[in-house]
Amino acid sequence: MGRPSWNESVENVRFPAISRLPGVDGRDKPGHDGGGISRWVNPIAGKGRVIAPLLALAALALPLGNALADDALIRSFRQGGDVASVGVVEAGADTEIEGPQAIYSGADGEIYLLDQVNGRVLRFDPRKPAEATRSLELPSDLRPTDIVVARDTIYVWDEGPRALQATGPQDAQTRSLAVTRSVSAPDEAVLSAFAQTGSQEIGEEAATRSLGDGKPLRSRQTIASHGRGQVVADVNALDKKGVSISLQIKDGAALAKLKMQVRSRIGSVELLDVDQRGRIFVLGENIPTDATDQPSTFVARYASNGALEGVYELPLDKQVALSRRFVTVSAEGDVYFLRTRKGGVDLLGVGFRPMKNGQTIDLAPPAPAIPSYALTDFGKRKGATAATRPLDRTQVVQTALQFANVRWRVNAGAYGADPDRSCSGFARIRRPGYLHGKLGQEVVGIPYCWGCHGALPRIAAEIGAGRLAGNVCTRNDPRPDVAGVDCSAFVSACWGLSTHFTTMAIPAISRELSNPWDLLPGDALNKPGSHVMLFMRFTPDRRAEVIESSTGGCNGKVCRNIYPLASLLARGYRPVRFRGLANDMSAPTPVAAVATATPMGKTKPENARPEALDQNGAEKPAKGAVKTRAR
């Protein structure tokens, strides 16, 4: 049986069935069995309002039975720039909604929300909906994509961990965050917490996660829990459907042994927290091996003795935008979910579903019909004729790595004027975030450029000639005077296409894979009309490593990211294989190739044959390139 439908919308103020309201359930009965949420009755913080007490009176007369708990809307933020709002960049053609990237629950129960579009961290208490939100302003030179809170220090990820501390009066509604060197370097628990969401240095897995070669899966994770201090988890594969998890206090006694079993095939497994009551919370995924089934992402809760108590199914769907850290657990054991949607952002308290110890976790509802695409669906898309060169997976992977790892020095023409042109519809300027303040400095990665396309040699020549680098104004018309690639142009270039195929056109030149576990390096995860990522590999802990061109997750450039696979599938991403690679079933391993960056325009080692390189130092196109027509 799947999760019950969520019958709530901010615009119409509709709510779940009254019998499923949080706060009316008894301990260990269906409902929010955390500790914080279960002590109050569905307070909805829209401008500080509490709008459900009258409904709760009616709920007292209704039997609970075995109904599942729906999710509670804890606080809602509209789009904007004041403290009651968050920065949201609305979706357009080939762009996803970009909003807050992460949430984290602090030791005192307050939620920290990374509002990176507005350059700040919002802090509020989910148990006090009428209390004002406080703003912690980020340093102007930081463009973070993730957040972890440890003790009194806020750590953000901006191509590495940065330690911040608040300055100014304690009771001020707005304070500043400043980089601090008064605290020691991030410890193993902080680095492992970042690694949970793929925030880690390239090639850093062995240092932060102690990952083996994945045969069998073994992953050591360290967390700074709310209830038991630093806890170490060893995750070991039992089979394709299950894992065992051994927990111990760091440098101390054994804590518990857990078992997680799913119906189809298990994806990533992450220890999230141990609450003040000793209950253990583990993020897991069920990833089907057939397109007719549906993926699910959940938090499993275990008693202190290791017995499974139940699960919190995370409400991921195609309307929920991509974010990096979308779930967090409070010290009291409440599970919160970050839902970024059109026009705003919600913090949800996730409903709890009791289960029997040892029960297989099976949450997926019947699958909807899989849409198919024909050329007539694409309207104004670009033409389907493209020049290609003979292609194999190794070339695709090498091209992607060159886009992500190329080094180049930011000249005045590439940087542009200060102040730069503002974007329409949101508080941002044209220049990608990773280039701010980098005039005259060396940076890594090709810039994101809305509507731009081209091969790496062409982009290198344009930037070298002083053309503007990048354009993140996705609500404006594309500009002809800027260089870089957007998401689909990047994938098109990696696939050797001289024509830019948008995410709506990619289904016409690719084949959807019925089993997502069949993905090979050089395939893609495509969400038509929204975003596309080039697949690189499955990590040893069963997450998807991708390279993408993104304004949010990559801070305005081409970069490597790691995502839980089920969360991508649930959001509408489909695993696809370019038809030009259909007969190449090789699987190159790209990990070793990402250790060092390549100078701008260089696509071969320095000792490559000179006749193989063009005037920009890039590999010449192969002879015998042919014209193909998509069918």
Side-chain angles (χ1 to χ4, degrees), residues 33-49:
D33 183 16
I37 298 179
S38 60
R39 285 198 291 268
W40 44 270
V41 182
N42 203 20
I44 308 296
K47 302 181 180 180
R49 294 172 296 159

Side-chain angles (χ1 to χ4, degrees), residues 468-489:
L468 284 171
N471 176 21
V472 298
C473 293
T474 56
R475 304 300 292 173
N476 296 81
D477 291 334
R479 293 174 53 165
D481 59 338
V482 191
V485 286
D486 62 19
C487 65
S488 53

Side-chain angles (χ1 to χ4, degrees), residues 89-92 94-98 318 320-322 527 529-531 533 551 571 573:
V89 181
E90 293 293 356
D94 267 20
T95 59
E96 277 237 272
I97 297 173
E98 183 189 343
K318 294 180 181 180
V320 176
L322 194 62
K527 184 177 181 180
S530 182
H531 188 52
M533 312 169 179
T551 60
R571 286 180 167 102
Y573 287 87

Side-chain angles (χ1 to χ4, degrees), residues 503-631:
T503 58
M504 283 297 292
I506 282 175
I509 59 169
S510 63
R511 175 176 64 85
E512 183 172 331
L513 303 176
S514 60
N515 183 356
W517 293 106
D518 288 340
L519 281 163
L520 292 173
D523 293 336
L525 287 152
N526 184 50
K527 184 177 181 180
S530 182
H531 188 52
V532 63
M533 312 169 179
L534 196 78
F535 178 79
M536 299 301 281
R537 63 164 184 151
F538 288 112
T539 64
D541 54 351
R542 305 188 187 191
R543 294 180 291 172
E545 179 180 324
V546 303
I547 295 183
E548 60 180 325
S549 182
S550 170
T551 60
C554 291
N555 201 13
K557 66 175 183 176
V558 178
C559 78
R560 166 263 200 189
N561 269 320
I562 296 176
Y563 296 103
L565 180 59
S567 73
L568 296 178
L569 299 175
R571 286 180 167 102
Y573 287 87
R574 311 308 305 169
V576 298
R577 177 162 296 154
F578 175 46
R579 296 187 187 278
L581 290 173
N583 296 322
D584 183 357
M585 302 305 292
S586 61
T589 303
V591 180
V594 301
T596 58
T598 308
M600 174 69 91
K602 301 285 186 175
T603 62
K604 287 287 186 182
E606 296 296 334
N607 60 359
R609 294 177 295 105
E611 62 270 22
L613 304 178
D614 66 15
Q615 61 181 353
N616 296 312
E619 183 183 3
K620 291 179 180 178
K623 293 182 178 180
V626 297
K627 293 278 187 177
T628 63
R629 182 174 298 275
R631 297 180 184 272

Side-chain angles (χ1 to χ4, degrees), residues 433-467:
Y434 86 112
L435 297 179
H436 284 295
K438 301 295 184 180
L439 178 61
Q441 300 180 41
E442 190 175 77
V443 296
V444 176
I446 292 298
Y448 177 94
C449 185
W450 165 235
C452 301
H453 65 95
L456 190 56
R458 170 183 163 182
I459 296 169
E462 290 174 342
I463 292 179
R467 178 169 286 197

